[in-house]
């Protein structure tokens, strides 16, 4: 909730470095909120001219590609014992169920799992290390890694930046009454969706095998 407020106190150069490092570490296999940092920074760039969205997107892309490559090298060297060790250190993210789910995705989709894994929180953390553990040919991994990193990091930065610019311009011309109405509509929709999700949860949980993550 307070990420953007905190980023407003940080110099632009520090934001570029932070985005690159956090996304790099997340891609390497360390569970960090890379997407939250990227979205918050891109939104901040749309409101403050000091932050260049092109530099921000480039740093995010570099972090994603480099981090995934390092994760691949670590996974290839560490093998299965590495996954077992990660499971002990980060049981919430590297549980046996999550590892099995990610591994099935890799076996079914191959390099496409690396590419599209950028857009899925679970696979984004697993992609590099698991590709190395499964000995995916590096040239395949590299192609999927580079294009996936560019599309996810660069695309997310661009979309959030331009949405922020349009939203800010729109809100300036919007009356306070309309703004309050929009907020109320948003809250009502959220509550309805949340209530439906609670009703649907038991139905999804009953048939689910114990220990297997979604």
């Amino acid at each position: 909730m307070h990420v953007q407020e905190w980023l407003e106190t940080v110099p632009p150069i520090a934001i570029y470095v932070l985005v690159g490092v956090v996304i790099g570490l997340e891609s390497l296999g360390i569970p960090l909120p890379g997407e939250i940092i990227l979205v918050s920074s891109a939104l901040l760039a749309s409101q403050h001219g000091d932050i260049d969205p092109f530099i921000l997107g480039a740093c995010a892309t570099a972090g994603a590609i480099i981090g995934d490559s390092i994760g691949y090298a670590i996974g290839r060297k560490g093998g299965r014992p590495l996954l077992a060790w990660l499971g002990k250190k980060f049981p919430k993210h590297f549980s046996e169920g999550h590892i099995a789910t990610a591994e099935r995705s890799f076996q079914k989709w191959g390099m496409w799992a690396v590419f599209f894994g950028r857009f899925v929180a679970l696979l984004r953390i697993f992609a590099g290390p698991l590709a190395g553990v499964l000995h995916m040919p590096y040239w395949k991994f590299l192609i999927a890694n580079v294009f996936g990193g560019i599309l996810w990091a660069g695309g997310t930065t661009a979309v959030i930046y331009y949405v922020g610019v349009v939203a800010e311009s729109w809100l300036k011309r919007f009356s306070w009454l309309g703004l309050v109405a929009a907020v109320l509509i948003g809250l009502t929709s959220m509550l309805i969706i949340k209530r439906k999700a609670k009703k649907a949860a038991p139905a999804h949980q009953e048939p689910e095998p114990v220990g297997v993550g979604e």
Side-chain angles (χ1 to χ4, degrees):
M1 292 293 291
H2 303 289
V3 173
Q4 192 170 351
E5 293 178 10
W6 177 75
L7 288 174
E8 290 179 352
T9 66
V10 178
I13 184 66
I15 292 178
Y16 301 145
V17 174
L18 178 68
V19 167
V21 170
V22 171
I23 290 178
L25 291 175
E26 182 190 38
S27 301
L28 188 151
I30 299 176
L32 290 175
E35 192 167 39
I36 293 176
I37 294 293
L38 178 58
V39 169
S40 298
S41 299
L43 191 59
L44 188 63
S46 69
Q47 301 167 356
H48 299 274
D50 295 337
I51 303 174
D52 190 319
F54 292 101
I55 297 177
L56 183 66
C59 290
T61 301
I65 294 172
I66 294 171
D68 237 17
S69 296
I70 295 174
Y72 175 90
I74 293 174
R76 194 173 182 95
K77 185 175 181 180
R80 296 283 177 180
L82 173 65
L83 295 180
W85 179 82
L86 287 172
K88 294 178 181 179
K89 292 292 183 180
F90 307 102
K92 182 179 178 181
H93 297 85
F94 289 90
S95 66
E96 291 182 5
H98 284 171
I99 291 174
T101 299
E103 190 168 350
R104 284 195 297 271
S105 299
F106 269 73
Q107 291 172 345
K108 183 176 182 179
W109 302 106
M111 62 187 294
W112 290 108
V114 177
F115 180 84
F116 289 110
R118 279 290 172 194
F119 303 89
V120 182
L122 175 64
L123 287 180
R124 189 160 56 245
I125 298 173
F126 277 108
L130 191 56
V133 170
L134 297 177
H135 288 261
M136 176 183 289
Y138 183 69
W139 68 269
K140 288 186 176 181
F141 170 80
L142 184 61
I143 292 174
N145 179 28
V146 170
F147 283 100
I150 292 173
L151 186 61
W152 174 73
T156 299
T157 302
V159 169
I160 297 300
Y161 174 79
Y162 286 112
V163 166
V165 170
V166 171
E168 186 177 19
S169 175
W170 179 71
L171 287 174
K172 284 180 180 178
R173 297 193 297 268
F174 207 66
S175 68
W176 283 106
L177 182 60
L179 179 58
V180 171
V183 171
L184 290 175
I185 292 172
L187 289 174
T188 302
S189 301
M190 183 182 68
L191 290 173
I192 292 173
I193 293 172
K194 189 174 181 180
R195 181 174 295 179
K196 287 185 177 180
K198 284 184 177 180
K199 289 182 179 179
H204 288 288
Q205 288 175 358
E206 286 178 5
E208 184 177 325
V210 177
V212 178
E214 292 182 358

